Amino acid sequence: MTAPIMVHLDAWRVWQHAQRLSLVTITERIRVVALFGAEMDVEPARSCDGDIVGWLHSHPEWSDSTVTTYHSYLSSWFKWLQVTDRREDNPMMKVGTPHYPDRQPRPVSDDDVVRLLSTRMWRSTRVMILLALLAGLRVSEIARVRGEDVDAGAGVLWVKGKGRKVRSIPLHPTLIEAASTMPAKGYWFPMRGHPHTPMHGKSVSDVVSRTMRRAEVPGTPHCLRHWYATTLLDDGADLRTVQELMRHKTIQSTAVYTKVPDARRKSAVARLDPLRSVTGAEHRVYVPSAVGTS
């Protein structure tokens, strides 16, 4: 059987580079579209809605999150084909939108943070972890930190995040101290043998993950970013401030990363008073007797 021809994929790759999308995003999109064509034995540019539905249905082992992500990649592919006049219709219009799974915040516990920071590790690894815990950086952002991004005098760190947007983050005193031990110029975490090229975010993730496993701390490096947001909220920061520090476009995105502590939820419920409009001796909550009928 002849393998299907992957028409237009190279042109789509070039177009995405011109849009300044990240290399990771471009590579993953191309991989998924090519996988779709190979597994369904169709030319992706000429496939129909039945091919797409059949492919997604053929992988029951995929999580809802994976299906949603792959669906978005295919949507981007067919939208590009249509916009660039390579195809008249968009089969994704007939496929429908999968249910996006509700995400729950998964911050590491305070005890786990102490256990992690008490573990022996390389200085560079400790700085990676501190950047996640005290600045809320993603692994891809940690990989690209340079000495020039630190303004110790102003107490800020300049971060290039999603969409290549550059934002400033207040530097925690511990990070200011850590910065003094790192290069004043160039990448803090260069690729081995290539001092002018930053590590891949995946490499940073692997380094931090190994340290977390050795410290017997459950979760992923991203859970350290969850801790940052959750702890800010727990310590009294309002959600809008946390949104700015997390560098989210919408407050809804921030809400996903923040877990309201159980103690705060219980306290909020305990303060409820159905007779709060009543004053004086009459102000008491009625508690029904355990004996008798209503």
Side-chain angles (χ1 to χ4, degrees):
M1 182 180 297
T2 304
I5 300 175
M6 304 296 172
V7 179
H8 305 314
L9 274 184
D10 285 340
W12 189 39
R13 187 196 306 275
V14 172
W15 182 86
Q16 291 179 95
H17 277 293
Q19 298 301 308
R20 309 283 288 177
L21 298 181
S22 73
L23 180 60
V24 173
T25 296
I26 296 172
T27 301
E28 187 63 6
R29 282 181 170 184
I30 296 293
R31 183 190 71 80
V32 170
V33 172
L35 179 66
F36 160 62
E39 290 191 349
M40 296 306 293
D41 193 30
V42 295
E43 184 182 321
R46 300 183 183 278
S47 58
C48 65
D49 56 294
D51 297 322
I52 301 166
V53 172
W55 184 56
L56 296 176
H57 179 70
S58 68
H59 286 281
E61 76 280 6
W62 287 348
S63 66
D64 290 345
S65 179
T66 297
V67 171
T68 302
T69 300
Y70 287 6
H71 181 281
S72 70
Y73 291 165
L74 291 174
S75 294
S76 298
W77 162 246
F78 287 110
K79 181 179 180 180
W80 174 79
L81 288 173
Q82 194 174 33
V83 167
T84 57
D85 297 324
R86 288 172 168 83
R87 180 170 179 145
E88 292 185 359
D89 67 320
N90 186 342
M92 297 302 292
M93 298 298 292
K94 299 179 181 179
V95 174
T97 304
H99 171 69
Y100 194 83
D102 292 332
R103 293 188 295 168
Q104 293 294 322
R106 298 174 298 162
V108 295
S109 70
D110 291 346
D111 289 340
D112 284 338
V113 169
V114 173
R115 185 180 302 109
L116 179 60
L117 294 178
S118 300
T119 301
R120 292 187 62 182
M121 65 186 80
W122 293 105
R123 181 183 62 187
S124 59
T125 302
R126 186 175 299 276
V127 175
M128 290 178 183
I129 291 172
L130 290 174
L131 285 168
L133 284 172
L134 302 178
L137 267 59
R138 306 172 179 90
V139 291
S140 60
E141 296 166 344
I142 293 173
R144 296 194 299 268
V145 171
R146 302 172 305 160
E148 294 89 341
D149 298 329
V150 177
D151 186 339
V156 298
L157 172 68
W158 293 94
V159 181
K160 181 182 289 186
K162 288 186 175 180
R164 298 179 181 271
K165 294 182 178 178
V166 179
R167 301 283 179 84
S168 65
I169 297 176
L171 273 173
H172 188 278
T174 300
L175 276 177
I176 293 178
E177 182 180 350
S180 67
T181 68
M182 302 299 287
K185 294 184 178 180
Y187 290 107
W188 280 5
F189 314 107
M191 189 179 296
R192 183 173 299 178
H194 300 275
H196 303 299
T197 303
M199 294 177 66
H200 291 301
K202 178 64 167 58
S203 299
V204 172
S205 181
D206 290 342
V207 169
V208 176
S209 293
R210 285 197 298 269
T211 306
M212 291 176 69
R213 286 195 298 271
R214 188 155 48 83
E216 298 183 350
V217 171
T220 67
H222 206 62
C223 296
L224 305 180
R225 175 173 160 85
H226 286 205
W227 180 89
Y228 173 76
T230 302
T231 305
L232 285 170
L233 185 68
D234 190 32
D235 286 345
D238 61 85
L239 202 58
R240 182 70 181 86
T241 299
V242 178
Q243 178 192 353
E244 283 290 317
L245 291 171
M246 293 288 280
R247 292 157 290 120
H248 284 149
K249 285 184 178 180
T250 66
I251 202 76
Q252 288 79 8
S253 296
T254 307
V256 171
Y257 283 77
T258 53
K259 176 184 178 182
V260 179
D262 289 339
R264 179 176 291 190
R265 294 194 301 159
K266 291 178 180 178
S267 176
V269 172
R271 290 196 300 270
L272 291 175
D273 184 358
L275 301 181
R276 63 180 184 170
S277 65
V278 180
T279 59
E282 297 179 346
H283 186 191
R284 66 182 182 86
V285 177
Y286 170 69
V287 180
S289 172
V291 180
T293 58
S294 59

